[in-house]
């Protein structure tokens, strides 16, 4: 190679080595106009190959004879290790970092073999890895998050502490590309991106700056409900919906920012997260679980408690707003969050469930306040009835909340606490009913019947279900879906196999095919959904996914009790729009299930007529048993043809679903409320 | 209640991990055939066929095979895909993939997951989008259905082709066999003065 022609300059020295201390190690150098640093990823060109190799510089040095050397830790392209990948899916631009010990881990090359810089971003969720920003991801030539152990020939998504003698953190996303001397920023970045990621995962709009009240009200369910629920020792499901959870991250953090008097009310996630960290939010935990933030150890410091208190407070506030918020008068976010508050509350124990629906007028007033001045004042409780069963914690929280809202007076919306204790001394049931009556438009008050109040798990049924059914529909009311109460008397069906029941239902016209469900829904959840949306009972079954199934849609068959009901449901779904979480409108149509006939032909299995069969013993055996095909047979050739066809089909499915996914995304991005 | 639900869900996830999804199975394959075929890889704990009600045509059968351990499941997938493995018929090989939670019939609800729904008002700006999305849902389903149809047609075509090839091969084989059987071959060998040995 004509390296003399190419510009080259050594940069920072590192130290000397070798037997006679005559080897000079370097940290950076400039080659062909590009500055390279240790641990940069580079292309290495081999003339024999169509694609250049990709590796990471782990050592750079100059020998006494002036030859320049680099030690390169390799990345593998998926096709290089395809036989070990099996059926694992790889991304188009995915690489695998070599690890372990053995041949192929790393090589020493002459520095001149470098063909250019390569931008490889590590997307591993490993806590040691600073998460890349969206922009970084867009600019990345390649990404990696898995390693390939060259010794054991295993693919893993765990990254060893040391690879080729190099501390692994140096191999993950580096801060080298950022300005030097910003180590601390690096740490923050890490956190920031962590949280950001969560947020984007669920496609939640970041909190809007202009509506602080909004921001505050958003924060309901996040960590705080979580906490409360923990404290109240209610082991039930505490996690919030992905949706709500995410929002609250932003907002909770925002809150923290404010109170810590750092950066004012900056919504910059970075600050937020920095603080978040201080306040013992563990952003890392949020990776592991669906629920976004863990308020670890129940926030022991007084500061934190205060914050929590405020959250509590705010959530209360919001809850009260919720049922009466006129649809168009408030920013969408609030609406979106109404449900969260609901959930939050509902997942707590019964006491919480039943409480807290304000009389209409009161709520209205508050809404107005919110709108007019963006400032809610700290008014005393109008109906300060205190239920003895509330835990002391709440008390404390209330105090704290008061404190805080006083403190945060500079332009910040003060959340009111007036409704914290707003439930009467009456029985919970009573309360639930009362509040239910109050919180809905009193067009038609459904009598909460006994059935409704029973729920599968033996808990109280939350009043809001009923509240949300007004002549069958309540627009823009968000309902939380839980299990349908088990009062279905039509359990006589239970023993019949599903196929029979479906056939029967199909004949009677009570079978409905539901489309555009989230594919992770379970049959019970679909039943619950129908129950809450239509107040109708049905027996549902999710369609089991196969390799052909779209990754975007889940489907279910639902059997209703009567034909009229099925018709009504389909009509309502068609004319109205039942929006599920993450912006999916439910689609319903009469189901016409396919019942496979028992037939014996199968394309791809060739049967030779019996008279001929005896001649070819080999073939005869092949038909009757399971076996591997030997590569030297006609059968093997044919098998390969099938494999080829299969591959082709797979690619087609992949393409189709990718295209459909993009179309969906385009549409969904137009949605106002997400 | 929460903890048991979580435990149940965790257990289910474990089960998913040790389960293999196998498709391109002939409709004649039964549970016992699969168990026999797959026992060479390890212990098959259960076999569940996934019924097809949604596609309005016959598609190859697919099944979920629960193995004893995740390691065994991985081994099955690797081996079946690396070599073409045939179950009760040839030459179309079966295919194995790791199972996904959505493939299971009865799966526990993820603890703590909440679903919400709301009726949109017809004035809501999202209402129109919702309509479009509903339309899109059905369009996509139709697209997928067409693609599946095309693929099945292609499979049928390949099937016919291979059948032809195989028939031709058998014809040759038969011819040879007959020639040997009716002593023509020995006669000819004698005539041309070459040695001929049957078998």
């Amino acid at each position: 190679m004509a390296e003399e022609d190419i510009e080259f300059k050594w940069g920072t020295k590192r130290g000397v080595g070798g037997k006679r201390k005559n080897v000079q190690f370097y940290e950076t150098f400039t080659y062909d106009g590009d500055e390279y640093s240790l641990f940069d990823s580079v292309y290495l060109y081999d003339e024999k190959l169509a694609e250049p190799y990709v590796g990471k510089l782990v050592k750079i040095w100059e020998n006494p004879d002036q030859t320049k050397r680099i030690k390169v830790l390799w990345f593998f392209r998926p096709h290089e290790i395809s036989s070990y990948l099996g059926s694992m899916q790889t991304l188009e631009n995915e690489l695998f970092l070599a690890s372990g010990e053995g041949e192929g881990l790393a090589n020493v090359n002459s520095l001149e073999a470098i063909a250019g810089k390569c931008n490889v971003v590590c997307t591993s969720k490993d806590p040691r890895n600073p998460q890349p920003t969206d922009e970084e991801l867009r600019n990345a030539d390649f990404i990696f998050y898995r390693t390939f152990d060259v010794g054991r020939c295993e693919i893993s998504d765990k990254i060893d502490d040391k690879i080729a003698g190099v501390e692994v953190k140096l191999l993950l996303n580096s801060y080298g590309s950022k300005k030097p001397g910003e180590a601390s920023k690096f740490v923050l970045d890490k956190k920031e991106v962590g949280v950001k990621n969560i947020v984007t995962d669920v496609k939640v709009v970041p909190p809007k700056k202009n509506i602080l009240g909004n921001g505050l009200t958003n924060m309901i369910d996040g960590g705080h409900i979580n906490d409360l629920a923990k404290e109240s020792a209610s082991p039930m499901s505490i996690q919030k919906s992905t949706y709500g959870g995410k929002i609250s991250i932003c907002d909770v953090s925002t809150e923290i920012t404010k109170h810590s008097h750092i950066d004012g009310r900056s919504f910059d996630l970075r600050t937020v997260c920095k603080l978040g960290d201080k306040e013992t939010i563990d952003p890392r935990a949020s990776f592991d679980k669906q629920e976004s933030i863990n308020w670890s150890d129940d926030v022991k410091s007084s500061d934190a408690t205060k914050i929590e208190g405020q959250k509590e407070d705010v959530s209360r506030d919001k809850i009260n707003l919720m049922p009466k918020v006129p649809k168009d008068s408030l920013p969408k976010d609030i609406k979106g969050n109404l449900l969260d508050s609901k959930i939050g509350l509902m997942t707590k124990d019964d006491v919480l469930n039943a409480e807290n629906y304000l009389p209409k007028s009161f709520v209205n007033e508050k809404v107005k306040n919110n709108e007019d001045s963006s400032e809610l004042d700290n008014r005393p409780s109008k109906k300060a009835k205190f239920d003895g069963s509330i835990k002391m914690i709440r008390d404390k929280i209330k105090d704290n909340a008061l404190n805080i809202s006083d403190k945060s007076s500079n332009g910040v919306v003060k959340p009111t606490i007036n409704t914290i204790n707003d439930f009467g001394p009456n029985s919970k049931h009573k309360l639930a009913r009362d509040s239910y009556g109050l919180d809905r438009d009193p067009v038609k008050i459904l009598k909460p019947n006994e059935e409704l109040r029973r729920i599968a798990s033996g808990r109280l049924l939350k009043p809001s279900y009923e509240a949300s059914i007004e002549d069958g529909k309540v627009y823009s009311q968000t309902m939380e879906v839980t299990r349908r109460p088990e009062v279905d008397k039509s359990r006589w069906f239970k023993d019949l196999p599903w196929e029979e029941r479906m056939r029967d239902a199909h004949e009677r016209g009570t079978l409905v095919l539901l489309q555009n469900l989230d594919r992770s829904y379970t049959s019970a959840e679909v039943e619950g959904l129908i129950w809450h949306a239509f107040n109708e009972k049905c027996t549902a079954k999710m369609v089991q996914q196969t390799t052909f199934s779209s990754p975007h849609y889940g489907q279910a068959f639902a059997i209703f009790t009567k034909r009229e009901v099925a018709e009504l449901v389909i009509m309502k779904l068609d004319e109205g729009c039942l929006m599920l979480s993450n912006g999916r409108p439910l689609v319903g149509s009469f189901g016409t299930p396919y019942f496979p006939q028992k037939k014996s032909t199968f394309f791809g299995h060739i049967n030779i007529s019996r008279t001929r069969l005896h001649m070819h013993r080999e073939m005869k055996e092949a038909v009757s048993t399971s076996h591997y095909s030997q590569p030297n047979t006609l059968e093997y050739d044919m098998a390969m043809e099938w494999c080829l066809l299969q591959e082709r089909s797979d690619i087609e499915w992949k393409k189709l679903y990718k295209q459909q996914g993009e179309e969906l995304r385009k549409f969904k991005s137009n949605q106002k409320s997400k | 209640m929460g903890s048991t639900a979580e435990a149940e869900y965790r257990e289910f996830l474990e089960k998913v991990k040790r389960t293999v999804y196998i498709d391109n199975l002939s409709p004649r394959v039964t549970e016992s055939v699969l168990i026999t075929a797959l026992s060479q890889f390890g212990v098959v704990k259960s076999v569940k066929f996934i019924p097809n009600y949604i596609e309005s045509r016959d598609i190859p059968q697919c099944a979920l095979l629960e193995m004893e351990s995740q390691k065994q499941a991985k081994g099955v997938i690797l081996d079946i895909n690396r070599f073409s493995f045939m179950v009760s018929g040839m030459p179309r090989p079966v295919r194995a993939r790791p199972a996904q939670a959505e493939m299971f019939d009865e799966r526990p609800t993820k603890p703590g997951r909440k679903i919400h729904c709301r009726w949109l008002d017809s004035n809501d700006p999202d209402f129109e989008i919702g309509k479009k999305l509903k339309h899109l849902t059905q369009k996509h389903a139709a697209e997928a259905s067409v693609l599946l149809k095309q693929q099945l047609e292609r499979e049928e075509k390949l099937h016919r082709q291979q059948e032809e090839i195989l028939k031709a091969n058998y014809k040759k084989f038969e011819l040879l066999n007959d020639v040997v059987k009716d002593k023509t071959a020995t006669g000819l060998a004698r005539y041309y003065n070459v040695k001929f040995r049957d078998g």
Side-chain angles (χ1 to χ4, degrees):
Chain A
M1 259 187 231
E3 58 261 30
E4 304 308 322
D5 302 335
I6 301 170
E7 181 206 339
F8 181 83
K9 212 171 83 205
W10 283 120
T12 327
K13 288 183 180 182
R14 266 207 126 196
V16 289
K19 275 184 197 136
R20 274 170 282 163
K21 302 278 175 212
N22 52 5
V23 176
Q24 177 65 52
F25 289 96
Y26 291 92
E27 203 164 295
T28 59
F29 60 90
T30 313
Y31 180 59
D32 202 11
D34 282 330
E35 194 186 332
Y36 294 88
S37 313
L38 212 51
F39 309 117
D40 275 358
S41 300
V42 292
Y43 286 116
L44 286 112
Y45 190 60
D46 185 328
E47 280 156 36
K48 290 188 290 265
L49 284 169
E51 296 177 306
Y53 288 120
V54 182
K56 243 181 198 307
L57 300 176
V58 290
K59 237 176 231 173
I60 307 166
W61 72 92
E62 188 175 41
N63 285 329
D65 60 358
Q66 308 272 298
T67 50
K68 311 174 190 72
R69 290 284 178 263
I70 47 172
K71 187 178 178 192
V72 180
L73 174 66
W74 295 115
F75 282 110
F76 291 100
R77 291 179 189 258
H79 67 80
E80 293 175 297
I81 51 169
S82 58
S83 54
Y84 303 104
L85 276 172
S87 54
M88 261 183 240
Q89 297 292 313
T90 54
L91 303 168
E92 270 170 52
N93 61 345
E94 184 173 349
L95 295 176
F96 293 84
L97 183 67
S99 73
E101 272 170 39
E103 207 171 310
L105 178 71
N107 286 107
V108 174
N109 276 294
S110 66
L111 187 144
E112 290 79 10
I114 295 176
K117 267 198 169 186
C118 175
N119 188 3
V120 182
V121 171
C122 178
T123 57
S124 172
K125 298 276 185 264
D126 191 298
R128 295 167 296 190
N129 181 42
Q131 293 297 306
T133 60
D134 289 349
E135 198 189 339
E136 279 169 346
L137 277 177
R138 266 198 301 281
N139 294 334
D141 296 315
F142 296 100
I143 61 107
F144 78 97
Y145 65 94
R146 292 185 276 196
T147 59
F148 179 72
D149 190 308
V150 293
R152 282 174 295 173
C153 296
E154 269 174 11
I155 290 152
S156 160
D157 46 14
K158 293 196 180 62
I159 302 177
D160 295 342
D161 287 337
K162 263 188 175 183
I163 296 175
V166 181
E167 286 285 333
V168 82
K169 69 176 179 197
L170 298 167
L171 301 174
L172 303 176
N173 290 344
S174 67
Y175 39 95
S177 56
K178 293 174 187 118
K179 282 172 210 149
E182 280 192 290
S184 61
K185 186 185 159 208
F186 152 57
V187 177
L188 294 181
D189 273 349
K190 181 168 154 181
K191 297 280 154 55
E192 166 207 344
V193 184
V195 170
K196 218 194 216 165
N197 266 359
I198 302 163
V199 173
T200 43
D201 270 348
V202 203
K203 298 190 191 85
V204 169
V205 231
K208 287 180 185 154
K209 281 187 190 176
N210 50 350
I211 315 153
L212 253 181
N214 192 357
L216 287 174
T217 46
N218 274 349
M219 68 169 54
I220 314 307
D221 82 328
H224 126 69
I225 292 280
N226 232 343
D227 276 349
L228 245 203
K230 260 186 234 152
E231 285 158 337
S232 58
S234 155
M236 321 164 1
S237 51
I238 298 150
Q239 295 146 299
K240 55 260 104 186
S241 75
T242 38
Y243 177 40
K246 298 325 157 351
I247 292 211
S248 53
I249 295 183
C250 311
D251 297 330
V252 168
S253 333
T254 316
E255 225 21 47
I256 296 162
T257 322
K258 264 185 268 169
H259 292 294
S260 310
H261 299 291
I262 295 181
D263 242 12
R265 259 170 288 131
S266 155
F267 280 79
D268 178 358
L269 272 171
R270 185 171 302 171
T271 336
V272 166
C273 298
K274 184 174 101 200
L275 296 165
D277 200 30
K278 263 190 205 160
E279 307 291 357
T280 70
I281 291 178
D282 183 358
R284 226 179 285 151
S286 45
F287 279 122
D288 305 332
K289 298 179 190 170
Q290 273 282 337
E291 69 242 63
S292 357
I293 284 201
N294 255 347
W295 287 81
S296 38
D297 292 330
D298 298 332
V299 211
K300 293 264 159 53
S301 76
S302 62
D303 223 17
T305 321
K306 271 179 207 163
I307 283 153
E308 188 200 334
Q310 173 148 13
K311 278 187 298 155
E312 163 77 350
D313 169 341
V314 172
S315 67
R316 254 345 108 73
D317 187 358
K318 213 280 235 67
I319 288 143
N320 293 316
L321 283 174
M322 170 217 351
K324 281 277 68 187
V325 173
K327 197 184 121 265
D328 296 313
S329 63
L330 273 182
K332 281 267 156 58
D333 301 38
I334 290 198
K335 261 194 285 155
N337 279 295
L338 298 186
L339 60 127
D340 298 334
S341 60
K342 266 189 183 171
I343 314 154
L345 275 179
M346 284 165 183
T347 46
K348 286 188 279 172
D349 52 9
D350 294 336
V351 182
L352 277 170
N353 290 333
E355 69 184 289
N356 269 326
Y357 287 96
L358 263 200
K360 186 176 160 195
S361 57
F362 192 19
V363 175
N364 273 342
E365 207 178 336
K366 285 179 71 187
V367 174
K368 228 179 277 157
N369 270 340
N370 196 3
E371 278 176 75
D372 289 347
S373 57
S374 263
E375 184 154 352
L376 300 170
D377 48 0
N378 205 345
R379 99 185 65 182
S381 170
K382 268 190 182 168
K383 295 185 172 187
K385 296 173 202 159
F386 195 74
D387 184 311
S389 71
I390 307 174
K391 300 193 165 50
M392 287 306 287
I393 300 166
R394 310 272 299 300
D395 227 339
K396 204 167 100 196
I397 286 166
K398 187 190 73 184
D399 289 342
N400 281 327
L402 265 169
N403 281 342
I404 288 202
S405 33
D406 281 338
K407 265 195 227 159
S408 61
S409 54
N410 36 356
V412 185
V413 174
K414 282 182 247 159
T416 63
I417 55 129
N418 45 8
T419 55
I420 287 194
N421 308 317
D422 190 35
F423 30 82
N426 343 25
S427 81
K428 292 161 200 164
H429 294 242
K430 183 73 180 2
L431 229 194
R433 211 176 300 169
D434 283 348
S435 53
Y436 147 64
L438 288 166
D439 73 29
R440 59 189 287 276
D441 264 330
V443 178
K444 188 172 135 199
I445 297 184
L446 296 174
K447 242 189 188 165
N449 49 31
E450 277 309 304
E451 286 181 350
L452 283 176
R453 272 210 250 105
R454 240 179 301 141
I455 196 160
S457 50
R459 279 178 293 141
L460 254 189
L461 183 70
K462 291 79 185 180
S464 64
Y465 303 152
E466 297 157 67
S468 38
I469 300 155
E470 166 197 309
D471 288 341
K473 288 182 195 179
V474 165
Y475 287 118
S476 311
Q477 278 267 23
T478 313
M479 295 165 260
E480 182 223 2
V481 172
T482 58
R483 276 183 76 103
R484 179 170 58 83
E486 291 288 345
V487 287
D488 193 352
K489 287 186 190 73
S490 61
R491 284 289 151 188
W492 56 64
F493 268 135
K494 202 173 183 177
D495 298 322
L496 277 177
W498 176 250
E499 191 171 323
E500 294 294 310
R501 296 172 62 187
M502 223 162 47
R503 211 185 282 269
D504 181 56
H506 177 51
E507 277 159 18
R508 291 192 296 135
T510 56
L511 185 68
V512 173
L513 173 66
L514 299 170
Q515 284 170 298
N516 205 13
L517 295 155
D518 190 301
R519 61 201 282 261
S520 65
Y521 287 178
T522 60
S523 304
E525 282 172 320
V526 175
E527 286 172 11
L529 181 74
I530 295 297
W531 170 251
H532 294 302
F534 298 98
N535 201 15
E536 291 293 349
K537 283 169 235 153
C538 73
T539 321
K541 210 168 186 72
M542 284 298 284
V543 172
Q544 288 171 262
Q545 300 250 321
T546 63
T547 29
F548 311 115
S549 310
S550 167
H552 310 303
Y553 300 108
Q555 295 160 311
F557 280 112
I559 298 176
F560 287 88
T561 45
K562 273 189 282 208
R563 189 194 177 90
E564 294 75 42
V565 175
E567 275 165 2
L568 190 74
V569 165
I570 291 170
M571 196 193 75
K572 276 186 184 170
L573 283 178
D574 184 44
E575 285 170 8
C577 185
L578 181 66
M579 197 58 91
L580 310 182
S581 336
N582 61 33
R584 292 169 177 272
L586 188 65
V587 178
S589 56
F590 277 114
T592 41
Y594 177 74
F595 299 108
Q597 288 87 41
K598 281 286 167 216
K599 60 166 206 169
S600 51
T601 55
F602 174 63
F603 294 130
H605 283 184
I606 302 172
N607 294 311
I608 289 91
S609 65
R610 296 245 166 237
T611 49
R612 288 172 183 171
L613 207 61
H614 68 278
M615 298 174 199
H616 200 191
R617 221 173 303 126
E618 205 181 318
M619 281 299 181
K620 188 178 166 187
E621 275 159 13
V623 172
S624 58
T625 59
S626 62
H627 64 289
Y628 286 129
S629 189
Q630 295 303 310
N632 56 355
T633 59
L634 181 61
E635 181 198 59
Y636 186 79
D637 284 349
M638 289 181 167
M640 285 300 109
E641 284 176 2
W642 281 105
C643 290
L644 206 64
L645 191 72
Q646 194 64 63
E647 282 299 308
R648 196 174 147 193
S649 301
D650 284 349
I651 291 169
E652 284 173 351
W653 283 118
K654 225 176 176 173
K655 269 196 181 154
L656 177 75
Y657 288 140
K658 195 175 164 195
Q659 185 196 331
Q660 293 187 344
E662 270 159 22
E663 279 176 36
L664 273 178
R665 214 170 303 127
K666 215 161 51 191
F667 271 104
K668 279 191 185 162
S669 62
N670 293 333
Q671 269 173 331
K672 300 284 183 298
S673 57
K674 299 231 170 91
Chain B
M1 174 208 151
S3 58
T4 56
E6 265 170 38
E8 191 191 353
Y9 190 70
R10 265 200 305 276
E11 201 173 291
F12 171 69
L13 289 183
E14 282 305 308
K15 186 178 164 187
V16 172
K17 279 185 196 154
R18 59 172 187 264
T19 303
V20 181
Y21 169 86
I22 292 196
D23 70 351
N24 292 345
L25 288 169
S26 149
R28 292 205 290 181
V29 171
T30 58
E31 194 175 319
S32 61
V33 169
L34 264 188
I35 291 179
T36 326
L38 273 293
S39 294
Q40 53 186 302
F41 300 102
V43 181
V44 182
K45 280 178 84 178
S46 70
V47 176
K48 283 225 165 74
F49 287 96
I50 300 182
N52 162 44
Y53 302 120
I54 199 89
E55 302 293 347
S56 53
R57 46 182 71 84
D58 280 314
I59 55 171
Q61 259 206 119
C62 36
L64 293 169
L65 268 107
E66 188 190 350
M67 302 301 288
E68 201 175 43
S69 66
Q70 194 182 342
K71 204 177 150 203
Q72 277 182 8
K74 273 189 176 166
V76 170
I77 293 165
L78 204 66
D79 285 348
I80 287 189
N81 292 335
R82 209 182 310 175
F83 315 103
S84 42
F85 184 69
M86 295 167 195
V87 177
S88 90
M90 64 99 218
R92 187 175 182 178
V94 301
R95 185 173 52 161
R97 292 193 172 178
Q100 292 164 8
E102 287 81 14
M103 293 174 170
F104 285 79
D105 180 21
E106 271 158 17
R107 53 197 149 101
T109 303
K110 189 172 182 194
R113 201 257 297 273
K114 298 285 161 219
I115 300 174
H116 320 108
C117 59
R118 65 192 174 115
W119 287 100
L120 290 188
D121 188 86
S122 53
N123 306 323
D124 195 299
D126 283 350
F127 190 80
E128 277 309 305
I129 297 168
K131 283 246 152 190
K132 281 182 192 154
L133 276 171
K134 283 198 281 187
H135 183 69
L136 199 64
T137 306
Q138 283 172 325
K139 186 187 136 208
H140 283 172
E143 280 173 2
S145 169
V146 168
L147 181 62
L148 181 65
K149 190 174 157 229
Q150 280 176 356
Q151 291 185 350
L152 290 173
E153 278 165 8
R154 267 207 313 264
E155 283 173 14
E156 189 177 346
K157 205 173 134 201
L158 182 63
H159 177 83
R160 303 247 177 270
Q161 272 175 9
Q162 292 193 340
E163 213 171 30
E164 284 305 307
I165 294 170
L166 210 60
K167 256 185 208 158
N169 271 300
Y170 268 102
K171 234 176 175 170
K172 279 188 225 162
F173 186 80
E174 228 170 13
L175 192 72
L176 284 175
N177 208 41
D178 288 349
V179 163
V180 174
K181 236 187 197 167
D182 62 8
K183 310 279 188 215
T184 321
T186 12
L188 280 172
R190 216 177 303 128
Y191 182 80
Y192 288 108
N193 207 13
V194 288
K195 272 184 190 168
F196 175 78
R197 207 160 44 88
D198 187 8

